[in-house]
Amino acid sequence: MTTHARHTARTQDDLKAQAEQLRALHHDGGLLVLPNVWDAVSATVVAEAGFPAVATASAAVSAMLGLPDGEGAPWQEMFAAAGRIARAVSVPVTVDAEAGYGMEPRELVDRLLEIGAVGCNLEDTDHRGGGLTEAGAQARWLAAVRSAADDAGVPIVVNARVDTFLPANKVPEQQRIEEAIRRGRLYLDAGADCVYPIAVSRRSDLAALVAGLPGPVNGNSGDELDLAALRELGVARVSYGPRFYRAAMAGLRTAVEGLLT
Protein backbone atom coordinates (compact mmCIF):
# COMPACT_ATOMS: atom_id res chain seq x y z
CA MET A 1 0.00 0.00 0.00
CA THR A 2 1.41 3.40 -0.92
CA THR A 3 1.96 6.37 1.38
CA HIS A 4 -0.79 8.19 -0.53
CA ALA A 5 -3.29 5.41 0.10
CA ARG A 6 -2.52 5.31 3.81
CA HIS A 7 -3.10 9.01 4.37
CA THR A 8 -6.29 10.35 5.94
CA ALA A 9 -7.34 13.91 6.74
CA ARG A 10 -5.43 15.40 9.66
CA THR A 11 -7.33 16.41 12.77
CA GLN A 12 -6.27 19.22 15.09
CA ASP A 13 -4.70 16.62 17.37
CA ASP A 14 -2.87 15.08 14.40
CA LEU A 15 -1.46 18.47 13.41
CA LYS A 16 -0.33 19.21 16.95
CA ALA A 17 1.36 15.82 17.23
CA GLN A 18 3.08 16.28 13.87
CA ALA A 19 4.29 19.77 14.79
CA GLU A 20 5.75 18.41 18.02
CA GLN A 21 7.34 15.55 16.08
CA LEU A 22 8.89 17.96 13.57
CA ARG A 23 10.23 20.18 16.36
CA ALA A 24 11.75 17.18 18.14
CA LEU A 25 13.61 16.25 14.96
CA HIS A 26 15.52 19.55 15.31
CA HIS A 27 16.68 18.70 18.84
CA ASP A 28 17.39 14.97 18.86
CA GLY A 29 21.10 15.38 18.21
CA GLY A 30 20.92 14.05 14.67
CA LEU A 31 20.79 15.76 11.30
CA LEU A 32 17.32 16.23 9.83
CA VAL A 33 17.78 15.67 6.09
CA LEU A 34 15.10 17.23 3.89
CA PRO A 35 15.29 16.53 0.14
CA ASN A 36 12.88 19.26 -0.95
CA VAL A 37 9.87 18.34 -3.08
CA TRP A 38 7.56 20.12 -5.51
CA ASP A 39 4.48 17.94 -6.02
CA ALA A 40 2.60 14.96 -4.63
CA VAL A 41 4.67 12.41 -6.56
CA SER A 42 8.05 13.75 -5.43
CA ALA A 43 6.73 13.99 -1.86
CA THR A 44 5.61 10.37 -1.97
CA VAL A 45 9.04 9.28 -3.23
CA VAL A 46 10.76 11.07 -0.34
CA ALA A 47 8.35 9.78 2.32
CA GLU A 48 8.45 6.19 1.04
CA ALA A 49 12.26 6.33 1.03
CA GLY A 50 12.01 6.71 4.81
CA PHE A 51 12.62 10.41 5.47
CA PRO A 52 10.76 11.51 8.63
CA ALA A 53 9.43 14.79 7.20
CA VAL A 54 8.80 16.45 3.85
CA ALA A 55 9.73 20.03 2.92
CA THR A 56 8.69 22.00 -0.13
CA ALA A 57 10.98 24.35 -2.09
CA SER A 58 9.34 27.53 -3.37
CA ALA A 59 11.72 27.74 -6.33
CA ALA A 60 10.75 24.23 -7.43
CA VAL A 61 7.02 24.65 -6.80
CA SER A 62 6.87 27.98 -8.63
CA ALA A 63 8.88 26.52 -11.52
CA MET A 64 6.48 23.58 -11.69
CA LEU A 65 3.67 26.16 -11.96
CA GLY A 66 5.52 28.00 -14.72
CA LEU A 67 6.03 31.10 -12.58
CA PRO A 68 9.09 32.84 -11.05
CA ASP A 69 10.37 32.32 -7.51
CA GLY A 70 10.48 35.18 -5.02
CA GLU A 71 6.71 35.43 -4.54
CA GLY A 72 6.20 35.58 -8.31
CA ALA A 73 3.47 32.95 -8.01
CA PRO A 74 0.15 33.72 -6.30
CA TRP A 75 0.05 32.34 -2.78
CA GLN A 76 -3.20 30.56 -3.61
CA GLU A 77 -1.42 28.43 -6.20
CA MET A 78 1.58 27.83 -3.97
CA PHE A 79 -0.61 26.72 -1.07
CA ALA A 80 -2.78 24.56 -3.32
CA ALA A 81 0.37 22.74 -4.47
CA ALA A 82 1.56 22.38 -0.87
CA GLY A 83 -1.85 21.03 0.12
CA ARG A 84 -1.61 18.29 -2.49
CA ILE A 85 1.80 17.42 -1.10
CA ALA A 86 0.49 17.25 2.48
CA ARG A 87 -2.42 15.04 1.45
CA ALA A 88 -0.08 12.64 -0.34
CA VAL A 89 2.04 11.73 2.70
CA SER A 90 1.59 10.82 6.33
CA VAL A 91 4.77 12.45 7.67
CA PRO A 92 4.99 16.10 8.84
CA VAL A 93 5.13 18.66 6.04
CA THR A 94 6.88 22.02 6.22
CA VAL A 95 6.18 24.62 3.56
CA ASP A 96 8.55 27.15 2.05
CA ALA A 97 6.22 30.12 2.48
CA GLU A 98 8.79 32.60 1.13
CA ALA A 99 8.31 35.94 2.94
CA GLY A 100 4.71 35.22 3.92
CA TYR A 101 3.02 36.74 0.85
CA GLY A 102 2.02 39.86 2.76
CA MET A 103 -0.37 37.87 4.96
CA GLU A 104 -1.24 38.76 8.50
CA PRO A 105 0.27 36.24 10.93
CA ARG A 106 -3.00 34.56 11.87
CA GLU A 107 -4.04 34.19 8.25
CA LEU A 108 -0.70 32.59 7.42
CA VAL A 109 -1.05 30.15 10.30
CA ASP A 110 -4.64 29.31 9.40
CA ARG A 111 -3.76 28.74 5.75
CA LEU A 112 -0.90 26.42 6.69
CA LEU A 113 -3.09 24.38 9.00
CA GLU A 114 -5.89 24.24 6.44
CA ILE A 115 -3.62 22.46 3.98
CA GLY A 116 -2.17 20.13 6.63
CA ALA A 117 1.25 21.75 7.05
CA VAL A 118 2.94 21.99 10.45
CA GLY A 119 6.05 24.00 9.60
CA CYS A 120 7.19 26.85 7.40
CA ASN A 121 10.23 28.67 6.10
CA LEU A 122 9.93 32.43 6.42
CA GLU A 123 12.64 34.55 4.81
CA ASP A 124 13.78 38.09 5.53
CA THR A 125 14.15 39.26 1.93
CA ASP A 126 11.69 42.03 1.10
CA HIS A 127 10.26 40.99 -2.27
CA ARG A 128 8.22 44.16 -2.56
CA GLY A 129 10.74 46.81 -1.56
CA GLY A 130 13.96 44.95 -2.32
CA GLY A 131 16.85 44.13 0.00
CA LEU A 132 16.51 42.78 3.50
CA THR A 133 13.58 43.48 5.78
CA GLU A 134 14.66 45.48 8.82
CA ALA A 135 15.68 42.90 11.41
CA GLY A 136 13.57 44.25 14.26
CA ALA A 137 10.47 44.35 12.10
CA GLN A 138 11.09 40.80 10.91
CA ALA A 139 11.55 39.62 14.50
CA ARG A 140 8.27 41.23 15.52
CA TRP A 141 6.50 39.58 12.61
CA LEU A 142 7.95 36.18 13.51
CA ALA A 143 6.85 36.69 17.12
CA ALA A 144 3.34 37.42 15.87
CA VAL A 145 3.38 34.21 13.80
CA ARG A 146 4.49 32.28 16.88
CA SER A 147 1.70 33.85 18.93
CA ALA A 148 -0.86 33.06 16.24
CA ALA A 149 0.27 29.43 16.16
CA ASP A 150 -0.01 29.24 19.94
CA ASP A 151 -3.53 30.66 19.73
CA ALA A 152 -4.40 28.09 17.07
CA GLY A 153 -3.23 25.29 19.35
CA VAL A 154 -0.62 23.89 16.94
CA PRO A 155 3.07 24.69 17.62
CA ILE A 156 4.01 25.26 13.98
CA VAL A 157 7.76 24.90 13.45
CA VAL A 158 9.19 28.18 12.14
CA ASN A 159 12.43 28.01 10.17
CA ALA A 160 13.60 31.64 10.02
CA ARG A 161 15.63 32.18 6.88
CA VAL A 162 18.43 34.75 7.04
CA ASP A 163 19.35 36.07 3.61
CA THR A 164 22.54 38.01 4.28
CA PHE A 165 24.60 35.64 2.08
CA LEU A 166 22.42 36.16 -1.00
CA PRO A 167 24.35 38.48 -3.35
CA ALA A 168 21.16 40.26 -4.41
CA ASN A 169 20.82 41.69 -0.90
CA LYS A 170 24.23 43.40 -1.20
CA VAL A 171 25.50 42.78 2.32
CA PRO A 172 29.30 43.29 2.23
CA GLU A 173 31.03 39.92 2.40
CA GLN A 174 32.96 40.78 5.56
CA GLN A 175 29.71 41.63 7.37
CA ARG A 176 27.60 38.64 6.34
CA ILE A 177 28.41 36.34 9.26
CA GLU A 178 28.04 39.01 11.93
CA GLU A 179 24.77 40.26 10.45
CA ALA A 180 23.42 36.71 10.08
CA ILE A 181 24.18 36.01 13.73
CA ARG A 182 22.58 39.28 14.84
CA ARG A 183 19.44 38.55 12.87
CA GLY A 184 19.34 34.89 13.81
CA ARG A 185 19.50 35.67 17.52
CA LEU A 186 16.66 38.15 17.17
CA TYR A 187 14.59 35.59 15.33
CA LEU A 188 15.25 32.85 17.89
CA ASP A 189 14.30 35.26 20.67
CA ALA A 190 11.09 35.97 18.75
CA GLY A 191 10.15 32.29 18.84
CA ALA A 192 11.68 30.82 15.69
CA ASP A 193 12.63 27.15 16.06
CA CYS A 194 15.55 27.14 13.65
CA VAL A 195 17.67 29.65 11.75
CA TYR A 196 18.43 29.13 8.08
CA PRO A 197 21.34 31.20 6.74
CA ILE A 198 20.81 30.29 3.11
CA ALA A 199 23.59 30.14 0.50
CA VAL A 200 26.45 29.56 2.94
CA SER A 201 28.96 27.48 1.00
CA ARG A 202 32.16 27.66 3.06
CA ARG A 203 32.69 25.30 5.96
CA SER A 204 34.38 28.01 8.05
CA ASP A 205 31.42 30.37 7.61
CA LEU A 206 28.88 27.74 8.62
CA ALA A 207 31.01 26.74 11.62
CA ALA A 208 31.03 30.36 12.80
CA LEU A 209 27.25 30.57 12.43
CA VAL A 210 26.62 27.34 14.33
CA ALA A 211 28.90 28.58 17.12
CA GLY A 212 27.27 32.01 17.21
CA LEU A 213 23.62 31.02 17.11
CA PRO A 214 22.04 29.63 20.30
CA GLY A 215 19.62 27.36 18.51
CA PRO A 216 19.26 24.85 15.67
CA VAL A 217 20.78 25.85 12.32
CA ASN A 218 19.65 24.79 8.84
CA GLY A 219 22.50 24.38 6.37
CA ASN A 220 22.82 23.59 2.68
CA SER A 221 25.06 20.87 1.34
CA GLY A 222 27.81 21.73 -1.11
CA ASP A 223 31.38 21.04 -2.16
CA GLU A 224 32.74 21.70 1.34
CA LEU A 225 29.56 20.66 3.12
CA ASP A 226 28.58 17.07 2.52
CA LEU A 227 26.36 15.32 5.07
CA ALA A 228 29.33 14.12 7.10
CA ALA A 229 30.71 17.66 7.38
CA LEU A 230 27.31 19.07 8.32
CA ARG A 231 26.92 16.48 11.08
CA GLU A 232 30.42 17.22 12.36
CA LEU A 233 29.64 20.95 12.50
CA GLY A 234 26.51 20.33 14.56
CA VAL A 235 23.99 21.47 11.95
CA ALA A 236 20.46 20.42 12.92
CA ARG A 237 18.83 20.40 9.50
CA VAL A 238 19.88 20.34 5.86
CA SER A 239 17.74 21.23 2.87
CA TYR A 240 18.37 21.22 -0.85
CA GLY A 241 16.04 23.83 -2.35
CA PRO A 242 15.26 23.13 -6.02
CA ARG A 243 18.27 20.84 -6.55
CA PHE A 244 16.33 17.61 -7.03
CA TYR A 245 13.66 19.28 -9.15
CA ARG A 246 16.36 20.58 -11.47
CA ALA A 247 18.05 17.18 -11.56
CA ALA A 248 14.74 15.54 -12.44
CA MET A 249 14.11 18.03 -15.23
CA ALA A 250 17.65 17.58 -16.54
CA GLY A 251 17.08 13.83 -16.65
CA LEU A 252 13.81 14.35 -18.50
CA ARG A 253 15.49 16.67 -21.01
CA THR A 254 18.25 14.15 -21.69
CA ALA A 255 15.74 11.34 -22.12
CA VAL A 256 13.43 13.16 -24.51
CA GLU A 257 16.24 14.70 -26.53
CA GLY A 258 17.58 11.19 -26.94
CA LEU A 259 14.41 10.34 -28.81
CA LEU A 260 15.41 12.77 -31.56
CA THR A 261 18.78 11.19 -32.29
Side-chain angles (χ1 to χ4, degrees), residues 195-236:
V195 174
Y196 179 14
I198 194 171
V200 177
S201 59
R202 290 199 293 255
R203 181 185 177 112
S204 59
D205 290 346
L206 189 55
L209 290 164
V210 171
L213 288 165
V217 172
N218 187 146
N220 294 127
S221 71
D223 292 342
E224 294 185 28
L225 296 169
D226 60 12
L227 292 181
L230 292 167
R231 288 189 178 96
E232 185 179 339
L233 290 173
V235 170

Coordinates of all heavy atoms in Angstrom, one line a residue, residues 195-236:
V195 N 17.2 28.5 12.6 CA 17.7 29.7 11.8 C 18.3 29.1 10.5 O 19.1 28.1 10.6 CB 18.7 30.5 12.5 CG1 19.3 31.6 11.6 CG2 18.0 31.2 13.7
Y196 N 18.0 29.6 9.4 CA 18.4 29.1 8.1 C 19.2 30.2 7.3 O 18.6 31.0 6.6 CB 17.2 28.7 7.3 CG 17.5 28.1 5.9 CD1 18.8 27.8 5.5 CD2 16.4 27.9 5.0 CE1 19.0 27.3 4.2 CE2 16.7 27.4 3.7 CZ 17.9 27.1 3.3 OH 18.2 26.6 2.1
P197 N 20.5 30.3 7.5 CA 21.3 31.2 6.7 C 21.6 30.6 5.4 O 22.6 29.9 5.2 CB 22.6 31.3 7.6 CG 22.7 30.0 8.3 CD 21.3 29.5 8.5
I198 N 20.8 30.9 4.4 CA 20.8 30.3 3.1 C 22.0 30.7 2.3 O 22.6 31.8 2.6 CB 19.5 30.6 2.3 CG1 19.4 29.7 1.1 CG2 19.5 32.1 1.9 CD1 18.1 29.8 0.4
A199 N 22.5 29.9 1.4 CA 23.6 30.1 0.5 C 25.0 30.2 1.1 O 25.9 30.8 0.6 CB 23.3 31.4 -0.3
V200 N 25.1 29.7 2.3 CA 26.4 29.6 2.9 C 27.2 28.3 2.3 O 26.7 27.2 2.4 CB 26.4 29.4 4.5 CG1 27.7 29.2 5.1 CG2 25.7 30.6 5.1
S201 N 28.3 28.6 1.7 CA 29.0 27.5 1.0 C 30.3 27.1 1.6 O 30.8 26.0 1.3 CB 29.2 27.9 -0.5 OG 30.0 29.1 -0.6
R202 N 30.9 28.0 2.5 CA 32.2 27.7 3.1 C 32.0 27.0 4.4 O 31.2 27.5 5.3 CB 33.0 28.9 3.2 CG 33.5 29.5 1.8 CD 34.7 30.4 2.0 NE 34.3 31.6 2.7 CZ 34.1 32.8 2.1 NH1 34.3 32.9 0.8 NH2 33.8 33.9 2.8
R203 N 32.7 26.0 4.7 CA 32.7 25.3 6.0 C 33.0 26.3 7.1 O 32.3 26.2 8.2 CB 33.7 24.1 5.9 CG 33.7 23.3 7.2 CD 34.8 22.2 7.2 NE 34.8 21.5 8.5 CZ 34.4 20.3 8.7 NH1 34.0 19.6 7.6 NH2 34.5 19.7 9.9
S204 N 34.0 27.1 7.0 CA 34.4 28.0 8.1 C 33.2 29.0 8.4 O 33.0 29.3 9.6 CB 35.6 28.8 7.7 OG 35.5 29.5 6.5
D205 N 32.5 29.5 7.4 CA 31.4 30.4 7.6 C 30.3 29.7 8.4 O 29.7 30.2 9.3 CB 30.9 30.9 6.3 CG 31.8 31.9 5.6 OD1 32.8 32.3 6.2 OD2 31.6 32.2 4.4
L206 N 30.0 28.5 7.9 CA 28.9 27.7 8.6 C 29.3 27.4 10.0 O 28.5 27.5 11.0 CB 28.5 26.5 7.8 CG 27.3 25.8 8.3 CD1 26.0 26.7 8.3 CD2 27.0 24.6 7.4
A207 N 30.5 27.0 10.3 CA 31.0 26.7 11.6 C 30.8 27.9 12.5 O 30.4 27.8 13.7 CB 32.5 26.3 11.6
A208 N 31.2 29.1 12.0 CA 31.0 30.4 12.8 C 29.6 30.6 13.1 O 29.2 31.1 14.2 CB 31.6 31.5 12.0
L209 N 28.7 30.3 12.2 CA 27.3 30.6 12.4 C 26.7 29.6 13.5 O 25.9 30.0 14.3 CB 26.5 30.4 11.1 CG 26.8 31.6 10.1 CD1 26.3 31.2 8.7 CD2 26.1 32.9 10.6
V210 N 27.1 28.3 13.4 CA 26.6 27.3 14.3 C 27.1 27.7 15.7 O 26.4 27.6 16.7 CB 27.1 25.9 13.9 CG1 26.8 24.9 15.1 CG2 26.4 25.5 12.7
A211 N 28.4 28.2 15.8 CA 28.9 28.6 17.1 C 28.2 29.8 17.7 O 28.1 30.0 18.9 CB 30.4 28.8 17.0
G212 N 27.8 30.7 16.8 CA 27.3 32.0 17.2 C 25.8 32.1 17.4 O 25.3 33.0 18.0
L213 N 25.1 31.0 17.0 CA 23.6 31.0 17.1 C 23.2 30.0 18.2 O 23.5 28.8 18.1 CB 23.0 30.7 15.8 CG 23.1 31.7 14.7 CD1 22.8 31.2 13.3 CD2 22.2 32.9 15.0
P214 N 22.4 30.5 19.2 CA 22.0 29.6 20.3 C 20.8 28.8 20.0 O 19.8 28.9 20.8 CB 21.8 30.6 21.4 CG 21.3 31.9 20.7 CD 22.1 31.9 19.4
G215 N 20.8 28.1 18.9 CA 19.6 27.4 18.5 C 19.9 26.5 17.3 O 21.0 26.6 16.7
P216 N 19.0 25.7 16.8 CA 19.3 24.9 15.7 C 19.5 25.7 14.4 O 18.9 26.7 14.2 CB 18.0 24.1 15.5 CG 17.4 24.1 16.9 CD 17.7 25.4 17.5
V217 N 20.4 25.2 13.6 CA 20.8 25.9 12.3 C 20.5 24.9 11.1 O 20.8 23.7 11.2 CB 22.3 26.3 12.3 CG1 22.7 26.8 11.0 CG2 22.5 27.3 13.4
N218 N 19.9 25.5 10.1 CA 19.7 24.8 8.8 C 20.8 25.2 7.9 O 21.0 26.3 7.6 CB 18.3 25.3 8.3 CG 17.8 24.5 7.1 OD1 16.6 24.4 6.9 ND2 18.7 24.1 6.2
G219 N 21.5 24.1 7.4 CA 22.5 24.4 6.4 C 22.1 23.8 5.0 O 21.1 23.2 4.8
N220 N 22.9 24.2 4.0 CA 22.8 23.6 2.7 C 24.0 22.7 2.4 O 25.1 23.1 2.9 CB 22.7 24.7 1.6 CG 21.5 25.5 1.7 OD1 21.5 26.7 1.7 ND2 20.3 24.9 1.7
S221 N 23.9 21.7 1.7 CA 25.1 20.9 1.3 C 25.8 21.5 0.1 O 25.2 22.3 -0.6 CB 24.7 19.4 1.0 OG 24.0 19.4 -0.2
G222 N 27.0 21.2 0.0 CA 27.8 21.7 -1.1 C 29.2 21.1 -1.2 O 29.4 20.0 -0.5
D223 N 30.1 21.7 -2.0 CA 31.4 21.0 -2.2 C 32.1 20.8 -0.9 O 32.8 19.8 -0.7 CB 32.2 21.9 -3.1 CG 31.7 21.9 -4.5 OD1 30.9 21.0 -4.9 OD2 32.0 22.9 -5.3
E224 N 32.1 21.8 0.1 CA 32.7 21.7 1.3 C 31.8 21.2 2.4 O 32.3 20.9 3.6 CB 33.3 23.1 1.8 CG 34.3 23.7 0.9 CD 34.9 25.0 1.5 OE1 34.8 25.1 2.8 OE2 35.4 25.8 0.7
L225 N 30.6 20.9 2.1 CA 29.6 20.7 3.1 C 28.7 19.5 2.7 O 27.5 19.6 2.5 CB 28.7 21.9 3.3 CG 29.4 23.1 3.9 CD1 28.5 24.4 3.8 CD2 29.8 22.9 5.3
D226 N 29.4 18.3 2.7 CA 28.6 17.1 2.5 C 27.9 16.7 3.8 O 28.1 17.4 4.9 CB 29.4 15.9 2.0 CG 30.6 15.6 2.9 OD1 30.6 16.0 4.1 OD2 31.5 14.8 2.5
L227 N 27.1 15.7 3.9 CA 26.4 15.3 5.1 C 27.3 15.0 6.3 O 27.0 15.4 7.4 CB 25.4 14.1 4.8 CG 24.3 14.4 3.8 CD1 23.4 13.2 3.7 CD2 23.4 15.6 4.3
A228 N 28.4 14.4 6.0 CA 29.3 14.1 7.1 C 29.9 15.4 7.7 O 29.9 15.5 8.9 CB 30.5 13.3 6.6
A229 N 30.2 16.4 6.9 CA 30.7 17.7 7.4 C 29.6 18.4 8.1 O 29.9 19.0 9.2 CB 31.2 18.5 6.2
L230 N 28.4 18.4 7.6 CA 27.3 19.1 8.3 C 27.1 18.5 9.7 O 26.8 19.2 10.7 CB 26.0 19.0 7.5 CG 26.1 19.8 6.2 CD1 24.9 19.4 5.3 CD2 26.1 21.3 6.5
R231 N 27.1 17.1 9.8 CA 26.9 16.5 11.1 C 28.1 16.9 12.0 O 27.8 17.1 13.2 CB 26.9 15.0 10.9 CG 25.6 14.5 10.3 CD 25.5 12.9 10.3 NE 24.3 12.4 9.7 CZ 24.2 12.0 8.5 NH1 25.2 12.0 7.7 NH2 23.0 11.6 8.0
E232 N 29.3 16.9 11.5 CA 30.4 17.2 12.4 C 30.3 18.6 12.9 O 30.7 18.9 14.0 CB 31.7 17.0 11.5 CG 33.0 17.3 12.4 CD 34.2 17.0 11.5 OE1 34.1 16.4 10.5 OE2 35.3 17.6 11.9
L233 N 29.8 19.6 12.1 CA 29.6 20.9 12.5 C 28.5 21.2 13.5 O 28.4 22.2 14.1 CB 29.4 21.8 11.3 CG 30.6 22.0 10.3 CD1 30.2 22.8 9.1 CD2 31.7 22.8 11.0
G234 N 27.6 20.2 13.6 CA 26.5 20.3 14.6 C 25.3 21.0 13.9 O 24.4 21.5 14.7
V235 N 25.2 21.0 12.6 CA 24.0 21.5 11.9 C 22.8 20.6 12.3 O 22.9 19.3 12.4 CB 24.2 21.5 10.4 CG1 22.9 21.8 9.7 CG2 25.3 22.6 10.1
A236 N 21.6 21.2 12.5 CA 20.5 20.4 12.9 C 19.6 19.9 11.7 O 18.9 18.9 11.8 CB 19.6 21.3 13.8

